[in-house]
Amino acid sequence: MGKKYPIGIQNFESLRLDGYFYIDKTALIYQLVKNGRYYFLSRPRRFGKSLLISTLEACFQGKKDVFEGLAMEKLEKDWIKHPILHIDLNTQKYDTPESLDKILNDTLAYWESQYGTRPSETTLSLRFAGIIQRACEQTGQRVVILIDEYDKPMLQAIGNEQLQESFRSTLKSFYEALKSKDGYIKFAMLTGVTKFGKVSVFSDLNNLDDISMWNEYDEICGISDREIHENLEAELHEFAKAQGITYEAICDKLKEYYDGYHFTHNSIGMYNPFSLLIAFKRKEIGSYWFETGTPTYLVKLLKKHHYNLERMAHEETSADILNSVDADSTNPIPVIYQSGYLTIKGYDQRFGSYRLGFPNREVEEGFIRYLLLFYTNKGAVESPFEIQKFVREVESGDYDSFLRRLQSFFADTPYELVRDLELHYQNVLFIVFKLIGFYVKAEYHTSQGRIDLVLQTDQYIYMMEFKLDGTAEEALRQIDEKKYALPFAADPRQLFKIGINFSNETRNIERWVVE
């Protein structure tokens, strides 16, 4: 009988009672509980934050039996039962100011049915503070507060400043109870995807310990290489056999697709647990993270700020920027990083600057495919097939069909993009060639106004030079003048030099010449 993988199971107690596979994180959780009181953790979605909150809940409920065989069983001596106030903001659609009030009101009403209420408690914040105090007084134990996905309302309101301001002020006053009732609180943990202005929502909560970028807690969510080999060694061999490849090859493939998240500058790489466990369950490598939700708010940000997508793969930034998400920010990078689409790739200690990039192939390919729908006129169904056709045309030497297909990607350029046509055209080319690059070797570098591109297959080498409002002949001449073909002089493959002109007037590729 193989392992039961806990796909989508976020309740620790039911996971343990039903015999699901669990990688033991309880030694770290014990350390967290013993060494502090107020914590904040930011991790991408589907990274195990809800399971972490649920594990803390079982621990503070004194449920020793569900920790049998885990590190916590030996470490914890007391197993005291505490009153727990658990808020999950993940379940609601937040599209009006009332939607947040409703869920908070419903949660408070449930707690009031247990711990009572006072007529003078007329605001959400006063009610929350009253509940904390009474829960402690009635049980004789200090309260544990667990808030899962605290930033969900703020994320859903990206792009709607009025709504975001409303959510911000509601949450800000609501969370103030944590500070005013400090003496009644044993432990508090908030999790989320972003650090939405720790400045704005948590400005008064200066006692929150943000462990998001602490090496010590790297492994608290997600799965490390070490954990895979300690817990899934036999399954790795089965996986390799099912795929008809070697053990080494399956380890490399899993690493390429799902590893590579770095939450501090010198941390180990972490695997996305959701995708990794589905891959083990199905014995198939796939883009599972993207099947469960797509980041519309990120695309809105990229387009709103006229972001040059080519920068994304090697963005440089500072810790201050990575740690801040300000609703009014003109920089989409912190949200993209905190949402897990970019990760830390390098660190320059001298300047305190971080180099970012895509964590792995699943994220890079999934995100770029998703962008294609927003930057071209292709629908969700036809896009993957278009890329497939591009690759086949490149592999068979049919450059004319390839370029005509490329033209179709620029047809019907949405009017609002015309203002920044050059950037739009660079972004579309970036997306298309990035996707082709997953199947054939593609290298390109951009500079203002043009993209130099080299595509290589087993039989052909394509060199393309793009001009904006020049001529195709001029573009071709540049390939020769800059001696781009020199490195391939002794290469037996057939070389195509292609000059392409892009016209502002037609908003499309106007013509191309091939040598």
Side-chain angles (χ1 to χ4, degrees):
M1 184 58 184
K3 282 187 169 63
K4 281 170 76 176
Y5 294 105
I7 315 296
I9 295 172
Q10 298 176 338
N11 182 282
F12 177 71
E13 190 177 355
S14 74
L15 178 148
R16 296 285 293 158
L17 295 176
D18 295 343
Y20 281 94
F21 169 61
Y22 175 71
I23 289 179
D24 191 355
K25 305 279 185 184
T26 61
L28 272 180
I29 292 170
Y30 176 81
Q31 184 182 318
L32 197 68
V33 169
K34 289 296 171 245
N35 294 337
R37 265 175 67 194
Y38 291 95
Y39 291 103
F40 172 70
L41 175 73
S42 136
R43 283 292 180 269
R45 65 187 176 83
R46 293 289 190 178
F47 232 83
K49 298 187 295 295
S50 298
L51 182 59
L52 168 66
I53 290 282
S54 177
T55 311
L56 282 162
E57 186 165 16
C59 166
F60 281 114
Q61 283 170 331
K63 294 185 171 172
K64 185 179 180 180
D65 54 332
V66 297
F67 289 90
E68 195 184 328
L70 300 176
M72 180 79 83
E73 184 188 27
K74 294 188 180 68
L75 293 167
E76 182 55 73
K77 299 290 178 274
D78 305 328
W79 298 102
I80 294 166
K81 184 177 182 184
H82 290 268
I84 288 168
L85 303 178
H86 180 175
I87 307 175
D88 182 0
L89 290 179
N90 207 12
T91 51
Q92 188 75 22
K93 190 172 181 356
Y94 300 97
D95 46 9
T96 63
E98 298 73 47
S99 52
L100 176 58
D101 292 352
K102 266 184 201 153
I103 199 163
L104 293 177
N105 181 48
D106 183 57
T107 307
L108 292 168
Y110 172 67
W111 293 335
E112 284 164 344
S113 70
Q114 293 173 281
Y115 302 113
T117 179
R118 287 169 61 215
S120 60
E121 292 165 2
T122 52
T123 65
L124 295 171
S125 183
L126 283 172
R127 289 167 68 194
F128 189 23
I131 290 162
I132 293 170
Q133 184 170 336
R134 284 190 296 279
C136 176
E137 288 167 350
Q138 288 170 27
T139 60
Q141 292 294 342
R142 283 181 300 157
V143 177
V144 169
I145 296 168
L146 303 170
I147 300 176
D148 200 7
E149 304 287 5
Y150 90 94
D151 56 346
K152 194 64 179 277
M154 310 281 286
L155 273 178
Q156 288 190 1
I158 279 185
N160 181 341
E161 276 153 45
Q162 214 176 340
L163 188 57
Q164 203 161 51
E165 189 43 58
S166 161
F167 289 157
R168 189 191 287 115
S169 62
T170 301
L171 290 172
K172 189 172 154 66
S173 66
F174 185 74
Y175 294 141
E176 272 164 11
L178 295 182
K179 195 154 186 188
S180 64
K181 293 296 173 188
D182 177 53
Y184 298 94
I185 297 171
K186 163 75 178 164
F187 181 90
M189 175 107 189
L190 290 85
T191 70
V193 168
T194 59
K195 304 181 181 181
F196 250 111
K198 274 187 346 214
V199 191
S200 55
V201 176
F202 301 142
S203 53
D204 301 324
L205 279 182
N206 46 11
N207 52 351
L208 264 189
D209 224 338
D210 182 355
I211 58 170
S212 311
M213 288 180 89
W214 283 20
N215 267 48
E216 210 178 330
Y217 293 111
D218 265 350
E219 290 187 49
I220 201 152
C221 287
I223 299 175
S224 67
D225 224 23
R226 173 188 67 79
E227 289 172 323
I228 292 177
H229 292 290
E230 282 176 7
N231 294 275
L232 292 159
E233 197 60 27
E235 288 75 11
L236 276 170
H237 287 279
E238 285 168 27
F239 201 158
K241 198 173 165 190
Q243 287 277 310
I245 57 179
T246 64
Y247 167 83
E248 288 73 22
I250 198 67
C251 291
D252 289 347
K253 213 163 179 185
L254 288 169
K255 209 175 186 53
E256 179 196 354
Y257 271 82
Y258 307 123
D259 188 15
Y261 291 89
H262 296 269
F263 300 110
T264 66
H265 57 79
N266 54 353
S267 69
I268 54 169
M270 294 301 290
Y271 288 74
N272 179 324
F274 181 77
S275 299
L276 186 75
L277 294 179
I278 294 187
F280 269 99
K281 185 177 181 174
R282 297 189 191 173
K283 298 191 173 56
E284 280 291 338
I285 304 257
S287 274
Y288 304 119
W289 197 50
F290 277 85
E291 288 171 12
T292 64
T294 27
T296 335
Y297 63 87
L298 293 183
V299 184
K300 279 184 195 161
L301 275 179
L302 290 169
K303 295 186 96 165
K304 181 183 169 189
H305 300 307
H306 300 289
Y307 185 77
N308 180 346
L309 296 177
E310 206 259 335
R311 273 175 52 196
M312 202 185 296
H314 43 79
E315 183 70 65
E316 289 226 354
T317 187
S318 68
D320 289 348
I321 289 174
L322 287 188
N323 277 319
S324 72
V325 176
D326 181 11
D328 316 314
S329 166
T330 53
N331 188 351
I333 288 306
V335 190
I336 292 172
Y337 162 73
Q338 290 168 26
S339 304
Y341 296 92
L342 291 178
T343 196
I344 295 168
K345 290 288 190 183
Y347 178 67
D348 185 328
Q349 206 163 0
R350 193 171 150 216
F351 298 106
S353 66
Y354 290 87
R355 186 169 54 77
L356 304 180
F358 293 107
N360 52 44
R361 171 135 179 198
E362 179 190 34
V363 172
E364 183 171 17
E365 195 173 343
F367 193 43
I368 301 283
R369 274 183 192 279
Y370 187 64
L371 289 174
L372 187 67
L373 309 179
F374 289 86
Y375 282 86
T376 70
N377 61 340
K378 301 292 168 192
V381 179
E382 53 189 351
S383 295
F385 294 107
E386 293 285 321
I387 295 299
Q388 213 171 317
K389 288 169 187 164
F390 268 130
V391 172
R392 291 203 175 121
E393 286 153 4
V394 168
E395 286 175 339
S396 64
D398 184 0
Y399 53 79
D400 270 332
S401 299
F402 172 86
L403 288 162
R404 273 199 298 276
R405 190 172 308 285
L406 192 56
Q407 254 178 339
S408 79
F409 271 68
F410 288 105
D412 312 321
T413 301
Y415 191 74
E416 71 274 12
L417 294 167
V418 177
R419 284 176 307 136
D420 207 342
L421 191 66
E422 187 170 322
L423 180 66
H424 173 66
Y425 127 85
Q426 285 197 1
N427 281 343
V428 172
L429 290 176
F430 170 81
I431 292 168
V432 170
F433 292 130
K434 198 89 178 120
L435 289 173
I436 291 170
F438 287 114
Y439 307 97
V440 303
K441 199 173 169 200
E443 298 162 65
Y444 54 92
H445 50 274
T446 71
S447 61
Q448 277 322 99
R450 66 155 209 277
I451 293 198
D452 313 322
L453 174 86
V454 179
L455 288 178
Q456 299 180 56
T457 70
D458 294 345
Q459 294 171 284
Y460 304 103
I461 299 166
Y462 299 84
M463 260 178 201
M464 300 186 197
E465 178 69 23
F466 290 81
K467 280 276 174 226
L468 180 61
D469 280 338
T471 66
E473 288 75 13
E474 222 179 305
L476 189 59
R477 222 172 20 252
Q478 192 161 326
I479 294 176
D480 291 329
E481 282 167 7
K482 300 233 166 145
K483 300 188 169 53
Y484 291 152
L486 207 57
F488 301 99
D491 200 296
R493 291 174 291 180
Q494 187 174 355
L495 174 71
F496 295 113
K497 291 189 269 188
I498 307 174
I500 300 162
N501 186 51
F502 198 95
S503 152
N504 240 325
E505 197 182 328
T506 62
R507 310 210 297 270
N508 208 322
I509 291 172
E510 174 232 4
R511 66 185 290 267
W512 57 84
V513 288
V514 183
E515 196 179 276

